[in-house]
Amino acid sequence: MRWLVGGQVYDVDHGSFRAADIGVDAGRISTIRSGARRAGGDEVVDVSGCWLLPGLIDCHVHLTLPTDAGDPAGSAVRSDAAVALYAAAAAERTLMAGITTVRDVGGWNYVEMAVRDAISAGMCVGPRMFLAGRLLSITTSTADYYPGMYEVADGADAVRAAARRQLAKGADLIKVMATGAMLSSETEDSRAIQFTLAELRAAVEIAHDNHKHVAAHAHALAGIHNAIDAGVDSIEHCTFADDDALRKMAVAGTALVPTLCAGDLLFRDPDAVATMPPHLLSRMTEFNDVHLAVIRRAHELGVTIAMGTDAGTPGNHHGLNAQECVLLNQAAGLTPAESIRTATINAARLLRQGDLLGSLDEGKHADVIALRENPLDDIESLARVAMVMSAGRLARNDLGSPTGSSTTTQV
C-alpha cells in the first residue's frame, strides 16, 4: 500500500481542494480521507503543502513528429526505428510534465503501438496511450509530408476498409480528415472540405460499431458541419466555425479539441519560425487570432472542450502540453477550474474512460500530479509539476524519496 499524505486533493466536479490522504493499491486509488490509518509497512510520500490533481490528459498529440524544425516535410524520410526511438523519448518527456494520458491522433507506420506496448510492459516510461494508427484522408499531396501517418481512402467503401485496417492494427479510435490542413502542401486549402458527408458517415459507422470513437480534423466551416452531421465524437481545431456550427456542437455533445498550442508555441520558437516555409508561416500568422476567437466563442456557447495541444507540430514541443490549459484560461476566457476540467474529466469522457480516469476518486487509476502552488490561483503552476504518479507508480518525485514505513519523507 502506498500513501500520499498531507496534501490538498482536487475535486473536479466542485472545482475545489480539500485536505485528505490518498491510499493507492494495485495501481488504483483505494481510499481518500483525512487522517487515514496506515499499516506499519506502508510506503508513505509526504506531500504536505502540495496541491494534488488528477494526471492531465492531452487528447491531441503526435508523439512520432519532431518539433524543432519549421518544415514538417523535412522529417518525411526517417526509418521506422528512428521514429520509434523519438516517440519513446517524446512519451517520457510528456509523462514527466504531468500528462499521464494521451490520445495520439496520427502515428507513423504503427511504431507508436510498439511504444505503447513497451510502456505497458515496463520497458520504457510514458503516459497511458490511446492511438488512432494512421489518420484517414482523401488523395492529397500532403501525404508526402507525412508518409507514415496518412492512410489514403477515396469513397465510402474505401473509408470503411481503411478504418477496419486501423482497428486490426490495434487502434483505439479513428481519425478522419474532414477538411484540409494548415501544415500541409501549398496546394491544400484548410478552408476546403476533404471527406464528404457519406465518407465521414462510413468511418463513424465502422468505429461506433466497434465501440470506438471518431476524431475529425476540421478547419473549414462546411467540413465542421459535415463532421457533426456524421456523428463524430470530437472536432479537432474548429478554426472557421460560426455560431450555428458551435451551437450544433453544443446540442449534439460533440467535443471540441482546440489545439491552441499549435499557433501560440510556434511563435515562441524563433528557430521554428525561421525554418518554416513561407506558405505555412503565412497561414499560421493569418489564422491564429481567428482560431482563438472561435475557441473563446465556443466556450461562451457551452461547447464541451477537451484539452488537446497538437504536440508534434513545429515549436509545439512534447512536454509543454500544460500550456494549453494556460492558454484556455488566459486567452480563451475559461476560469482556472474550467481549464483544468478540459484536461481531466472532459478529456476522460471523450476517451470513454470516465469511469477510470479524469478525477481523484476511489476505484480510478492512481494517476496523480502534485504542484507546489494552487493552480486555481496561478494556472501556470500546471507547467511546474513536482511529482507525477502513473497507475500508482512514482514516475517523478521532486519532493523527496518515499519511505518504507509510516515515517514520512519531508518535502
Side-chain angles (χ1 to χ4, degrees):
M1 187 82 166
R2 170 174 280 160
W3 289 91
L4 303 176
V5 302
Q8 296 288 323
V9 177
Y10 191 64
D11 184 326
V12 297
D13 289 323
H14 294 94
S16 61
F17 288 92
R18 65 184 176 93
D21 299 334
I22 299 178
V24 176
D25 189 28
R28 300 288 185 96
I29 296 173
S30 61
T31 186
I32 302 178
R33 63 178 183 268
S34 299
R37 198 177 276 185
R38 302 184 292 275
D42 287 350
E43 185 179 281
V44 177
V45 181
D46 186 346
V47 291
S48 298
C50 290
W51 311 84
L52 306 182
L53 295 92
L56 303 183
I57 302 171
D58 189 335
C59 292
H60 191 124
V61 303
H62 299 282
L63 290 173
T64 60
L65 289 185
T67 59
D68 294 333
D71 187 356
S75 61
V77 182
R78 296 179 293 162
S79 70
D80 286 354
V83 175
L85 289 170
Y86 180 88
E92 183 172 2
R93 291 198 303 274
T94 300
L95 179 63
M96 294 305 133
I99 313 300
T100 56
T101 300
V102 298
R103 183 180 69 157
D104 191 300
V105 287
W108 201 278
N109 290 336
Y110 310 108
V111 302
E112 70 282 359
M113 295 186 174
V115 173
R116 176 182 63 185
D117 294 344
I119 291 170
S120 297
M123 297 169 59
C124 57
V125 175
R128 187 175 287 101
M129 295 167 63
F130 293 85
L131 307 176
R134 290 179 172 177
L135 58 83
L136 310 190
S137 168
I138 65 166
T139 298
T140 170
S141 57
T142 300
D144 294 335
Y145 275 44
Y146 312 98
M149 183 179 291
Y150 274 49
E151 184 85 357
V152 172
D154 296 312
D157 287 341
V159 169
R160 290 187 184 93
R164 290 188 178 106
R165 283 194 293 273
Q166 307 319 300
L167 297 177
K169 290 288 188 178
D172 302 296
L173 69 143
I174 299 299
K175 165 77 175 294
V176 293
M177 299 295 286
T179 78
M182 294 282 187
L183 295 172
S184 61
S185 64
E186 203 161 357
T187 59
E188 183 169 302
D189 191 338
S190 62
R191 296 165 296 185
I193 70 165
Q194 288 199 354
F195 277 142
T196 64
L197 177 57
E199 289 168 322
L200 293 171
R201 281 177 170 160
V204 170
E205 171 195 340
I206 298 303
H208 287 181
D209 282 352
N210 287 275
H211 308 287
K212 309 296 184 184
H213 69 278
V214 179
H217 165 107
H219 292 292
L221 177 59
I224 293 168
H225 279 285
N226 282 345
I228 302 165
D229 292 342
V232 306
D233 300 277
S234 67
I235 304 288
E236 318 297 302
H237 317 302
C238 210
T239 306
F240 302 115
D242 62 10
D243 280 9
D244 287 343
L246 295 174
R247 290 191 181 98
K248 187 191 289 188
M249 289 177 67
V251 171
T254 310
L256 191 163
V257 181
T259 68
L260 293 174
C261 281
D264 188 86
L265 295 187
L266 165 65
F267 293 110
R268 298 189 199 183
D269 189 324
D271 291 336
V273 171
T275 55
M276 179 166 278
H279 76 279
L280 298 183
L281 186 58
S282 175
R283 292 173 184 172
M284 297 301 286
T285 303
E286 181 179 0
F287 299 128
N288 194 47
D289 289 346
V290 173
H291 186 201
L292 178 58
V294 167
I295 304 307
R296 187 183 299 114
R297 184 61 175 152
H299 172 58
E300 293 170 352
L301 293 175
V303 177
T304 297
I305 297 175
M307 192 273 270
T309 61
D310 217 353
T313 58
N316 190 3
H317 305 301
H318 305 287
L320 297 183
N321 312 62
Q323 290 299 320
E324 187 77 16
C325 293
V326 176
L327 289 167
L328 287 170
N329 169 233
Q330 295 183 350
L334 279 69
T335 67
E338 289 170 336
S339 179
I340 292 168
R341 190 176 180 85
T342 72
T344 53
I345 196 61
N346 286 5
R349 288 171 178 166
L350 173 58
L351 298 180
R352 302 185 175 189
Q353 298 292 309
D355 291 340
L356 296 172
L357 300 170
S359 63
L360 298 179
D361 289 311
E362 294 178 1
K364 291 196 173 185
H365 289 304
D367 293 356
V368 188
I369 61 174
L371 313 176
R372 289 191 172 96
E373 302 93 11
N374 185 342
L376 300 180
D377 297 330
D378 179 10
I379 193 68
E380 293 185 13
S381 67
L382 288 175
R384 300 189 294 268
V385 296
M387 186 209 73
V388 179
M389 175 179 280
S390 177
R393 296 180 180 178
L394 284 174
R396 171 179 179 174
N397 185 12
D398 300 342
L399 305 175
S401 301
T403 69
S405 71
S406 58
T407 302
T408 60
T409 297
Q410 299 299 318
V411 175

